[in-house]
């Protein structure tokens, strides 16, 4: 055995390296995500836990603690999360995203979440790359609604509603613009009509897409009125997500939820809308971990349409065929849009396989272009 | 807001850097582990999931798959695992260990597991350090049996049995030697009397501790006979762990299990032995994820004494008081050894808080000594 066999080195890619490796190319990312969803539908992926389909594992901070300095769930999105997975096909990579989030970061000039992604050799387990994953995550997260809309939206969508004015809806709208040339106007719903993030979203869109008409809306009803595509990406403290009525939704609309929202007439939505999710198993896992109950022990609604769909399957109200996965539709194993009037309610969440897919493309691009910093783990391991 | 606020840099520590930072100082690590177990007993820690006490999340490979190149559970320990946590007290750090394992690595001149550890700022979530964790893991894993023996063994232990001849028992024995000056002989049980790892363990011990008598044993009965401390660290494919009889065990013995083993007269062991675990909640989580059933639906024994103890609590056969946690004993909240004749059956597993504890000590040492490579994540983040 030579030294070469035992030496391990890997590539470090900081945020600038990731940009140089093409991480912001959202059109290419939409195509990559289509490959990932097809592999998911073919079971050529693995996610965590016994179900092989879990989102990841979270450090869930308590709301209060008698211990001084104990970290608390006392700001928006405060958590740590690990998301490991394996992605097959031509990717054939294992990997894991690990991040910490804290709403207070914004006031420090930092992103709310600070994310790192490791790409690993499937056979040896060794790290191949350690990368800044803020852009990786933002772009793959936005690319998925782009892919959903490309797959399911009625032709020539013109009006888009953004429920939520954060990074997810920025990149999601970028993905729509990469996929359609028909979009004419966008309605923005922030936390209020005076929301700073709504104003800065409007400014960003006006600068980037001067041909598009933009408007900040006072309420959800105004935002979704006449929309062909609704992009929901709302992250709020407490249970203060937007609540819509099914009769506010235009026939033919495609609603894509990646945050939290609900319908006041949920039963009608469940019956009337076509329902699609990215990964049923993941929402089954969410139901186990995150279901909340009221004082009488009655299950509270989750604010996540995908969890509500899977809960309805578990209760026997819906069947799995009523809630196909996106990959099944991409592969023709389940029907896509069948008429211009159907309303689709699609839920997508984060999955580590999305990061592995887009991370692998960026990593291979970095290797090709010689981008990044080579780091040695060891020349010879101290222990075998 | 200045650039300084938004810039993020962190420290990369490869294996040599970790050695320079004191990672192999197992005596200091035993003391650090005592602090960690006390914090666990005071609830000043957080591990993953709803229970706040999960070991982590695993990519569980299937035994077979129709998909070409799909990774399989086809070698010893083949898996990926993520272990996130928060540790309080003077540590006050979040962190996560992520590793891939594959028994076939040995043939490549690589360790079976290749481990990386990230230390994170609790408030912002940003990475503070990214470190090679092979030595970190090995040393903290060995330090725990050292701490258990220091806490619970009868005075002046002379004879030690090693069930399993891998890295865990190497470092565990090093920890015993750091804690006791009374040890005179060691009995080694490998997979067979001709086991290569048993032979190399014997050679290692003869070189490192020339005053100690070493012996390779043909079977478990011979290995544990007259032992004052039994260190079990057996990782085997299938259900081929060592099976002992309670009457083979010397009165006053302390058995420390960190792998898999069982007693043929398990009920007697459960009644007769004092039982201690590191973390009851972790074994409750293991029972949910890893319990196996035979063709008739009957639960198979797990080979993990800690899981068997917690299962017995769940069945009402034992109470929590019958299975105290190590930290409770360290804090005097539960009784330790009460007579020279008591036999202790102690189970310890891996916990991310152990890595965070020892990783924090090494990181602070690296900072003090100026060891490692500073890596910039970004000067200004592209997205906020």
């Amino acid at each position: 055995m030579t030294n070469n066999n035992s030496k391990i080195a890997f590539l470090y890619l900081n945020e600038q390296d990731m940009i140089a490796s093409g991480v912001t190319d959202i059109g290419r990312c939409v195509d990559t995500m289509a490959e990932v969803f097809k592999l998911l539908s073919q079971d050529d992926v693995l996610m965590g836990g016994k179900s092989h389909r879990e989102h990841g594992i979270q450090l869930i901070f308590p709301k209060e603690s008698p211990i001084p300095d104990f970290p608390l769930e006392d700001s928006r999105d405060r958590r740590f999360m690990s998301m490991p997975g394996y992605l097959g096909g031509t990717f054939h990579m294992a990997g894991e995203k690990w991040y910490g989030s804290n709403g207070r970061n914004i006031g420090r000039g930092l992103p709310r979440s600070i994310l790192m992604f490791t790409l690993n050799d499937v056979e040896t387990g060794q790290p191949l790359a350690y990368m800044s994953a803020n852009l990786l995550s933002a772009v793959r997260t936005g690319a998925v609604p782009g892919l959903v809309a490309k797959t399911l939206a009625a032709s020539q969508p013109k009006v888009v509603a953004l429920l939520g004015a954060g990074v997810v809806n920025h990149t999601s709208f970028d993905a729509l613009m990469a996929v359609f040339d028909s979009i004419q106007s966008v309605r923005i719903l922030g936390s209020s009509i005076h929301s700073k993030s709504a104003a800065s979203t409007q400014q960003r869109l006006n600068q980037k897409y001067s041909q598009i008409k933009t408007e900040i809306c006072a309420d959800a009803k105004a935002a979704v009125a006449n929309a062909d595509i609704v992009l929901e990406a709302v992250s709020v403290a407490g249970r203060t997500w937007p609540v819509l009525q099914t009769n506010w939704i235009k026939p033919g609309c495609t609603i894509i939820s990646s945050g939290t929202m609900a319908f006041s007439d949920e039963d009608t939505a469940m019956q009337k809308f076509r329902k699609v999710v990215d990964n049923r198993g993941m929402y089954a896992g969410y139901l186990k971990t995150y279901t909340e109950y009221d004082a009488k022990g009655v299950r509270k609604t989750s604010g996540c349409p995908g969890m509500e769909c899977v809960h309805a399957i578990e209760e026997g109200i819906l069947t799995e065929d009523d809630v196909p996965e996106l990959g099944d539709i991409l592969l023709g194993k389940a029907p896509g849009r069948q008429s211009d009037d159907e309303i689709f309610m699609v839920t997508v969440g984060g999955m580590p396989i999305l990061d592995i897919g887009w991370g692998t493309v960026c990593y291979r691009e970095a290797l090709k272009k010689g981008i990044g910093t080579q780091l040695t783990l060891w020349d010879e391991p101290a222990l075998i």
Side-chain angles (χ1 to χ4, degrees), chain A:
Chain A
M1 172 190 322
T2 70
N3 279 0
N4 271 354
N5 284 341
S6 303
K7 176 170 175 164
I8 290 185
F10 61 96
L11 199 60
Y12 171 63
L13 296 168
N14 67 19
E15 189 165 76
Q16 286 303 313
D17 295 330
M18 291 299 287
I19 292 170
S21 304
V23 72
T24 60
D25 183 349
I26 200 157
R28 187 175 182 189
C29 188
V30 169
D31 295 337
T32 302
M33 293 302 103
E35 295 310 306
V36 174
F37 278 98
K38 287 177 193 169
L39 290 169
L40 173 63
S41 174
Q42 290 160 330
D43 263 338
D44 195 3
V45 309
L46 201 69
M47 290 167 55
K50 202 173 179 176
S51 71
H52 300 160
R53 286 292 178 271
E54 290 184 23
H55 173 81
I57 187 168
Q58 182 180 339
L59 295 186
I60 303 171
F61 292 127
K63 291 199 183 3
E64 49 191 34
S65 166
I67 298 166
D69 293 332
F70 201 91
L72 302 176
E73 190 194 308
D74 58 358
S75 78
R76 201 149 67 131
D77 285 335
R78 192 167 187 204
R79 65 171 176 266
F80 282 87
M81 181 83 81
S82 161
M83 299 165 62
Y86 161 76
L87 180 64
T90 60
F91 300 96
H92 193 60
M93 286 280 185
E96 187 241 11
K97 187 164 74 178
W98 166 239
Y99 69 88
S101 281
N102 187 338
R104 286 192 291 271
N105 280 356
I106 306 293
R108 300 181 180 105
L110 291 174
R112 188 156 67 212
S113 305
I114 300 176
L115 309 102
M116 301 301 296
F117 177 72
T118 308
L119 204 60
N120 294 78
D121 186 274
V122 176
E123 175 64 16
T124 67
Q126 71 185 75
L128 298 172
Y130 185 58
M131 32 180 109
S132 173
N134 276 59
L135 288 171
L136 179 77
S137 276
V139 172
R140 68 78 158 154
T141 302
V144 172
L147 173 64
V148 171
K150 187 179 173 182
T151 310
L152 294 173
S155 62
Q156 301 291 313
K158 292 183 181 63
V159 180
V160 175
L162 304 183
L163 310 184
V167 167
V168 173
N169 263 347
H170 291 184
T171 52
S172 298
F173 189 76
D174 289 340
L176 290 191
M177 292 301 289
V179 162
F180 299 109
D181 56 12
S182 56
I183 293 168
Q184 296 173 350
S185 76
V186 64
R187 311 244 181 78
I188 303 160
L189 182 73
S191 52
S192 80
I193 191 116
H194 305 296
S195 150
K196 276 189 207 169
S197 54
S200 75
T201 296
Q202 184 176 39
Q203 196 180 4
R204 179 184 184 278
L205 293 178
N206 288 343
Q207 281 170 6
K208 194 160 182 181
Y209 306 108
S210 57
Q211 76 280 23
I212 304 276
K213 194 182 145 212
T214 64
E215 184 185 345
I216 294 177
C217 295
D219 57 47
K221 185 178 181 182
V224 302
N226 209 33
D228 300 300
I229 297 173
V230 175
L231 297 180
E232 177 274 306
V234 174
S235 155
V236 286
R239 305 175 67 85
T240 56
W241 49 72
V243 178
L244 312 184
Q245 287 181 29
T246 55
N247 61 15
W248 296 350
I249 307 297
K250 179 183 168 183
C253 180
T254 302
I255 306 164
I256 307 170
S257 167
S258 58
T260 41
M261 61 176 286
F263 283 92
S264 56
D265 50 342
E266 193 85 40
D267 293 348
T268 309
M270 281 285 172
Q271 284 164 32
K272 197 172 138 188
F273 295 170
R274 292 276 311 273
K275 294 152 294 286
V276 176
V277 297
D278 45 0
N279 177 351
R280 284 187 301 261
M282 184 168 71
Y283 299 107
Y286 282 169
L287 285 166
K288 278 187 200 144
T289 304
Y290 299 110
T291 296
E292 294 182 66
Y293 299 89
D294 69 14
K296 289 179 185 161
V298 178
R299 175 183 166 275
K300 290 186 188 178
T301 181
S302 64
C304 168
M307 282 170 74
E308 296 307 304
C309 287
V310 172
H311 180 253
I313 294 172
E314 290 178 353
E315 296 287 305
I317 297 162
L318 296 177
T319 68
E320 290 201 350
D321 288 344
D322 293 328
V323 190
E325 294 188 350
L326 178 62
D328 294 341
I329 295 172
L330 288 169
L331 288 173
K333 289 156 67 177
R337 178 174 286 278
Q338 292 171 314
S339 88
D340 287 345
D341 281 352
E342 285 180 322
I343 294 171
F344 274 85
M345 174 73 247
V346 186
T347 311
V348 292
M351 294 190 286
I353 54 174
L354 310 179
D355 301 299
I356 301 171
W358 192 226
T360 300
V361 170
C362 294
Y363 167 66
R364 289 178 179 162
E365 200 67 28
L367 285 185
K368 209 187 291 178
K369 294 186 176 161
I371 295 163
T373 305
Q374 280 283 342
L375 296 174
T376 298
L377 189 63
W378 54 57
D379 288 314
E380 284 281 346
L383 291 176
I384 289 197

